[in-house]
Amino acid sequence: MNFIGKLRLGVNIDHVATVRNARGSSYPDPLRAALMAQEAGADGITAHLREDRRHIRDEDIAALVAGLQVPLNFEMAATAEMQAIALRYRPHAVCMVPERREERTTEGGLDVAGDEANMAAFIAPLCDVGARVSMFIGHDARQIAACARIGAAVVELHTGHYCDLHHEGRFAERDVELATLREGAAYAHSLGLEVHAGHGLTFDTVAPIAAIPEVMELNIGHFLIAESIFIGLGPAIAEMRRQIDAARS
Ligand code: PXP
């Protein structure tokens, strides 16, 4: 297999903040989790500052920017408020995601093709300050081509549907979805886009995604934080890292 490069693991620490906020306490601290993730082999930390601040808060972003050695991937919706925050902190990467208040997590991909001019204008200042801008999309060729046209450096392909099909035991449909993700990754790479993938990945679903040669980064959160209840955060990340490396070798 001709891999494009080493597969990076980005650990999403939003769910640590979810636990903290559920109790209204000052712990668990997302920065502490991020530092532990860094220690356990994460290549980057992902945090989503939502408009309603339901998990990560502004002060968490400030603490992550000040305290991390690995790159911060700042997930955000296309709003003026979030753009101003990203321009202030200048994170290594910005991942644009759709956001709806009523959703529990990022449910679908962005419609870049349907809003190309606005998206291009929105990401331009972020690109100008050196952020690697990523667009979180489905695997549809129309969306991928639009991301290349607006000047994004990266696309992150949404793996949520593939994972849901797996966990529902709908294996034939899962395999079709996986094949389409593979095609999407190859197409995005052919247009010069760096390819990332994420959402819903677990020990049961990560290997086929990690084995897609064009994929260079996975962003994983919920499962790792959930698994850390049983085996600890460091071991959960180290095991994910091991499984990714095994799928890649
Ligand atoms: N990538 C993006 C763009 C996301 O929005 C999320 C969820 O916040 C993830 C990856 C991680 O998904 P999960 O928490 O299901 O692993």
Side-chain angles (χ1 to χ4, degrees):
M1 192 90 57
N2 208 3
F3 294 111
I4 304 298
K6 183 198 175 227
L7 185 53
R8 296 190 301 267
L9 172 60
V11 173
N12 181 318
I13 42 89
D14 294 349
H15 301 289
V16 176
T18 301
V19 174
R20 176 193 63 192
N21 298 359
R23 188 63 188 265
S25 56
S26 59
Y27 61 87
D29 175 15
L31 175 62
R32 183 174 170 199
L35 293 174
M36 195 174 268
Q38 189 177 270
E39 181 73 26
D43 301 293
I45 297 297
T46 295
H48 182 177
L49 187 65
R50 293 185 78 104
E51 188 191 6
D52 62 8
R53 310 300 199 266
R54 70 171 74 155
H55 38 61
I56 293 295
R57 297 177 180 146
D58 299 59
E59 54 273 27
D60 295 321
I61 296 295
L64 289 166
V65 168
L68 282 178
Q69 257 124 49
V70 294
L72 175 67
N73 175 28
F74 180 63
E75 270 187 30
M76 58 175 247
T79 67
E81 183 199 17
M82 290 303 152
Q83 190 190 51
I85 294 171
L87 291 174
R88 182 171 348 125
Y89 288 113
R90 302 183 175 204
H92 166 83
V94 170
C95 181
M96 304 296 311
V97 297
E99 199 175 292
R100 287 185 296 122
R101 263 178 193 268
E102 64 277 17
E103 69 190 359
R104 273 179 294 180
T105 179
T106 320
E107 279 167 7
L110 281 168
D111 180 15
V112 182
D115 198 19
E116 225 175 291
N118 284 332
M119 286 284 186
F122 188 88
I123 69 167
L126 300 169
C127 299
D128 287 348
V129 296
R132 280 186 76 69
V133 175
S134 164
M135 311 301 285
F136 188 50
I137 55 168
H139 44 52
D140 142 29
R142 206 171 125 259
Q143 297 296 345
I144 294 170
C147 293
R149 282 195 298 272
I150 66 167
V154 182
V155 285
E156 180 163 329
L157 301 181
H158 198 314
T159 52
H161 188 47
Y162 152 78
C163 293
D164 289 345
L165 291 169
H166 176 88
H167 292 297
E168 288 161 18
R170 294 158 65 187
F171 299 133
E173 291 162 86
R174 173 204 62 189
D175 291 346
V176 172
E177 179 70 9
L178 184 58
T180 322
L181 282 163
R182 284 195 193 106
E183 280 165 29
Y187 179 54
H189 178 71
S190 77
L191 298 181
L193 291 158
E194 184 175 313
V195 183
H196 299 176
H199 211 282
L201 294 169
T202 65
F203 292 153
D204 290 339
T205 51
V206 76
I209 300 295
I212 299 174
E214 295 84 4
V215 172
M216 291 193 63
E217 180 175 307
L218 299 179
N219 283 299
I220 309 180
H222 180 65
F223 174 77
L224 289 173
I225 304 304
E227 192 64 9
S228 73
I229 294 170
F230 304 108
I231 64 171
L233 185 57
I237 292 168
E239 175 59 15
M240 187 60 86
R241 175 86 262 165
R242 194 193 64 72
Q243 294 204 16
I244 289 172
D245 291 343
R248 206 77 172 169
S249 65

